[in-house]
Amino acid sequence: TWSAVLTILQSDDSSYSVDLYNRQGIELSPDMNTKENEKQNTSPNDVLNNPATKSALAGKSGSGIFSSPDEKTEKEIVSYTYEKGFGEYAGKGWVIIVETPFKGAFAATARTALANALMVALFIIVISFLSYWIVRQYIMKPLEALGDIASRFGKNDFSKRFAVTSHDEVATLGAAFNDMADSIQSAHTELESRVQQRTRELDETNKLMQ
């Protein structure tokens, strides 16, 4: 029924409008979303010369950016199609036009893009922080510990050992440092012992000579 058709065409969503025209360019469905005086200023001539309705009346369907038949100064995203009938019903060749303002159409996209960009930025910050923490915890700190041990070696302090808590390359290097420290400390202790023994022997020899 015609009332059912109007119910479908007349949407409460103000972000777009739906219009139905016959082959003479006369609007068959006054749109609730457009002011009545604007509709009155839209002549069948304007509708017939509009690129979207022209294409639809030629039996085509599609979408594009056109001037609205109602507001010629505003660019709108327009989708159009024609009534080709169904089954044995050939149809009357009417066309249906769906219009949404160009700016309004991309407003939601811009908001979504901004939200996505913020989420990506937050994700990058979190990943960067985690990466820094992992590098700091498992690479930088062990290397700093090895640097401290090497510095102590230079001061003849071989008491410090590297805490081996993993099986990676840094831990292998730390274990090598520990083995080296054990060897040097053992050799150093043995050398000190031999020096002390030799010193005692020299003292005894000196006393005997005196």
Side-chain angles (χ1 to χ4, degrees), residues 104-154:
F106 289 97
T109 305
R111 287 194 297 270
T112 303
L114 179 60
N116 289 341
L118 290 174
M119 287 180 66
V120 169
L122 180 61
F123 178 76
I124 290 173
I125 291 171
V126 170
I127 290 298
S128 300
F129 176 78
L130 287 175
S131 300
Y132 172 78
W133 183 84
I134 290 171
V135 170
R136 175 72 182 164
Q137 192 73 20
Y138 295 100
I139 298 177
M140 297 304 297
K141 278 190 175 182
L143 289 177
E144 287 174 359
L146 288 174
D148 180 55
I149 293 172
S151 177
R152 288 171 181 266
F153 283 0

Side-chain angles (χ1 to χ4, degrees), residues 31-50:
D31 197 307
M32 296 170 65
N33 297 329
T34 308
K35 293 178 183 177
E36 191 61 36
N37 62 347
E38 290 177 352
K39 287 297 180 182
Q40 290 171 353
N41 292 333
T42 307
S43 68
N45 234 13
D46 294 333
V47 175
L48 292 172
N49 290 326
N50 184 270

